[in-house]
Amino acid sequence: MKRQVAGQPSTPAKKKLGLFPRVVIAIALGALLGLIMPDALLRVLKTFNMLFAQLLKFVVPLLVLGLVTPAIANLGRGAGKMLVSVVVLSYLSTVCAGFFAYECATSLFPHYLHVGEIDAAHQAEAAVEPYFKLSIPPVCDILTALVLSFMVGVGIIFTNADIIKKGFDQFGEIVKFTIEKAIIPLLPVYIFTMICEMSAAGKLSLIMGTGVKVILTGIGISIAYLIVQYIIAATIAGRNPARCLWNMTPAYLTGFSVCSSSVVIPVTLENTLKNGVRKDIAEFVVPLCSTVHMCGSTIKLATTAVAVMYLCGIEPDFALFANFVLLQAISSVAAPGVMGGVLMASVGLLETVLGFSPEQSALLMTIYLALDGYGPACNVTGDAAIALIADRFFGRKTKTEEQIPATVENGIA
C-alpha cells in the first residue's frame, strides 16, 4: 500500500460516470453514428448485440438463484409477526402497483400510441444480419429458478442448513460481481448497438418520441399510485394523507436524483419520523422495505412493457400480464443490491411469460434506463407508507426508543 508523504496533497478518487449518463451518451452517439455507419460495421455491432443478449439470458436465472435464495433464507424461523407482515404487505403493494400500472397504461396509451407502428416499420426495412450467431443456453429458465430459490430458501430456514446457506451467500456475491463488472458496464454498449441499427433504419425519431411519452406516463402513474397508497395508509394510521405525503417530498426528490432505494435510506428514515412513526418501527421497516418493496420499479417496468407491446402489435392480455406481475414481484426481492438489478431480474420473465424477443427486450431497456430516477423515488416514498401501517398495528407492542441499542441506531445512520 502506498503511504502518503507528509506535506503532499492527497490524490482525490476519480469519480466514475454513472449508468444513467452512460446510457444517455450511448443513445446520443448511436443516433448520430447510425446515420453514417457502413453496413460492415453495423453487422459487427449486431453480432455483439446478439452475443450480449445470449449472455444476459444465461445470467438472469443465476441472478435469481444467487439473490432471492439468500433473501428468503435470511428471514429465519424466528421471524416475528412484524417482519412477516411487512414482507407480505410489501409484496401485495408491489403486485398492486403492477396491476395499477397495467390498467392505467392500457387506458392511456391507445390515445397517443399507434398499435404496431414499430412492427410495421421493422417489416418495411431489411434487418441487419450478424456475422455469426452463438447460442448460450441458460442453466434453467426463470420460472425454474424462482421455484428452486423458494424451495431452497425455505428449506434452509427449517433444516438449519448453514453450509448451504453460506454457499448461496457466496454464490450471490459471485453473481453480483458478474453483474457489476461485466453486464452493467456493457449495457450502454448494448443499447448503443440497438440505437445505431434503429438510426440506420430511419426508426429513431419514432422511438425517441415514443420514449418521452412512455416516461411521462410512467411518472404520472407512479405519482397517482403514491396518492392512493398514502390515502389508504394514512387513513389506517389515523393521519392526514396530504401532510404525510408532503413530508416525504425530500426522500422522493433524493431518490429521483440518485436513482437508488438503498442510498436514500437515511433521508427516508428522517422523513418517516416526521410522519409520527415510532423510531424503532421506522428503523426496522425502512431498511427492510428498501429490499423487498419495489412498487415504483414495478410501475416503471409494467408501463414500459405495455408500451412496447402496443408498439409491436402485441395485445396486452390481462391474464398473461397478471402472471408476469406476480412473478416479477418475487424475482425483484434483493435485486436492489445490484445496480439495475430489478431490470436484470425481469428480463427473463419478459421473454418467457410475455413472449418478448431479444430486440423487444432491448427496446424496453432503452426506454426504462433513459430516465431511471422515478422508479426508486416511488419505491422510497412508498416505504414510508408501509411504515405508517406497521406503526398502527405494532407501535404499541415494541420497545421504547430508549431501549433500542445504540449500535442499531448507528448502523442505520
Side-chain angles (χ1 to χ4, degrees), residues 9-15:
S10 59
T11 304
K14 291 183 179 180
K15 190 175 181 181

Side-chain angles (χ1 to χ4, degrees), residues 98 101-107 109-110 113 214 300-312 314-316 321 324 350 354 356 364:
Y102 171 84
E103 292 297 335
C104 292
T106 52
S107 300
F109 284 148
L113 295 185
V214 174
K300 186 177 180 182
L301 186 67
T303 303
T304 311
V306 171
V308 172
M309 293 174 79
Y310 264 111
L311 293 170
C312 295
I314 304 172
E315 181 64 30
F321 210 86
F324 169 75
L350 290 170
L354 296 182
F356 276 31
L364 181 139

Side-chain angles (χ1 to χ4, degrees), residues 68 87-88 90-99 146 291-295 297-298 301 321-336 342 345-346 349:
V68 176
V87 170
V88 171
S90 297
Y91 176 77
L92 292 176
S93 174
T94 302
V95 169
C96 288
F99 289 146
L146 281 172
T291 300
V292 300
H293 186 221
M294 295 292 111
C295 60
S297 297
T298 299
L301 186 67
F321 210 86
N323 187 22
F324 169 75
V325 169
L326 292 170
L327 293 172
Q328 188 274 333
I330 298 174
S331 68
S332 64
V333 172
V342 174
S346 304
L349 293 174

